[in-house]
Amino acid sequence: MTTPPYKLAVEDLTVVFGHGKRARTVLHGVSLGVRAGQTLGLVGESGSGKSTIATAIVGVHPVRAGRVTLDGEDLTGLRGGRLAAVRRRVQLVSQDPYASLNPRMTVGQAIAEAVDPVRADASKHASAVKRWLETVALDGSAAQRYPHEFSGGQRQRIAVARALAVEPEVIIADEITSALDASVQAEVLNLLEELRRSLSLTMLFISHDLAVVRHVSDEVAVLRQGEVVEHGPVRDVYRTLQHPYTRRLLASVPTFEEKEQPA
């Protein structure tokens, strides 16, 4: 998968869990990519391997075969400081913001740690902390409080602020709205779209919800049992529905308005 050029791509990616007789292949030669400044929606049922792709990209799960590239550079072979530097360019926001935030740290400390992992001083980085909180529509005073003092939607905004504080080029949003009610979900989705445009971010948006994916994405990839069965511009995929699995997924969700496209 070399053309067209992608900001972030996985090529023939295979991930295996376990060893010996207990080994289970979770991803079977997956290839997909997202162009700079765009959002790729990755959709599939629970257990299809969506989150495994996310964790493989950031190096949590080892890759059995294939590669992950950022601006054409193979990340799977990097080590040490070079790998750490590249990983800061790609930030993962997970489904459970409470689990990703240290409950013993104030929000300010958590964001300061992202700004400067060596000297995570909330007072030293107070202006940066305030700026990132305000970027996600939270008051700067939130820096003095702890994660448990916020609602689920607010915690998700904090997790986004923490990811942004690293000043990444790519955000991977893994089911980040699935636990939110409809009104809060819409607020977070609108925020992500605004941030993508204002900060020139590239985004991999992972969800089981086809309606959400269609609303926020420029392109979409459909994953079934560890294999990509559709990949292309969102309009093309949703209009042609080549694979019966995609048709079944689409039939299971309510009708929704198509995402507006630039003229």
Side-chain angles (χ1 to χ4, degrees):
M1 183 176 265
T2 57
T3 57
Y6 290 107
K7 177 73 175 179
L8 175 71
V10 300
E11 303 176 6
D12 298 319
L13 195 69
T14 297
V15 174
V16 178
F17 289 171
H19 302 279
K21 293 181 178 180
R22 294 186 177 181
R24 178 171 62 94
T25 302
V26 181
L27 298 178
H28 305 264
V30 169
S31 293
L32 54 83
V34 54
R35 294 178 178 82
Q38 293 193 351
T39 296
L40 172 70
L42 179 60
V43 65
E45 294 176 317
S46 178
S48 61
K50 305 186 302 298
S51 293
T52 302
I53 290 176
T55 51
I57 288 172
V58 298
V60 173
H61 285 125
V63 173
R64 174 67 60 90
R67 63 180 193 154
V68 178
T69 64
L70 181 64
D71 288 330
E73 181 179 10
D74 187 358
L75 306 187
T76 53
L78 297 181
R79 298 290 184 272
R82 178 59 184 153
L83 177 60
V86 170
R87 280 183 177 173
R88 285 183 67 83
R89 296 168 61 192
V90 181
Q91 289 294 299
L92 173 62
V93 182
S94 63
Q95 177 179 353
D96 183 358
Y98 194 70
S100 66
L101 296 168
N102 188 333
R104 297 182 179 181
M105 278 187 173
T106 65
V107 167
Q109 289 170 329
I111 296 176
E113 183 181 55
V115 172
D116 185 353
V118 178
R119 289 177 287 276
D121 187 331
S123 58
K124 177 181 178 180
H125 299 291
S127 61
V129 169
K130 182 176 184 291
R131 174 165 58 90
W132 288 118
L133 285 171
E134 291 176 348
T135 298
V136 298
L138 289 173
D139 190 88
S141 62
Q144 309 303 319
R145 298 159 62 189
Y146 289 86
H148 72 270
E149 299 179 63
F150 297 89
S151 68
Q154 289 172 325
R155 281 198 294 268
Q156 199 58 276
R157 288 173 183 267
I158 292 166
V160 171
R162 190 180 190 280
L164 293 176
V166 181
E167 299 191 27
E169 299 165 32
V170 180
I171 291 287
I172 302 175
D174 186 10
E175 295 276 14
I176 68 170
T177 62
S178 62
L180 307 177
D181 63 41
S183 61
V184 177
Q185 181 183 85
E187 291 175 0
V188 173
L189 291 174
N190 289 336
L191 173 66
L192 285 177
E193 180 67 9
E194 179 183 333
L195 292 172
R196 179 177 71 91
R197 294 180 184 278
S198 64
L199 301 175
S200 300
L201 294 170
T202 301
M203 191 173 300
L204 176 60
F205 184 88
I206 299 172
S207 178
H208 64 279
D209 190 329
L210 274 159
V212 169
V213 166
R214 187 179 188 183
H215 177 69
V216 303
S217 304
D218 299 289
E219 296 195 5
V220 61
V222 181
L223 196 67
R224 178 179 182 268
Q225 296 178 357
E227 297 182 350
V228 173
V229 296
E230 307 254 20
H231 187 344
V234 66
R235 278 188 172 182
D236 293 348
V237 170
Y238 280 77
R239 281 177 177 173
T240 58
L241 299 177
Q242 296 289 333
H243 199 281
Y245 175 71
T246 310
R247 291 197 295 269
R248 179 164 61 82
L249 285 178
L250 187 60
S252 68
V253 299
T255 303
F256 42 81
E257 294 183 359
E258 185 165 349
K259 179 186 176 184
E260 293 183 3
Q261 300 291 332

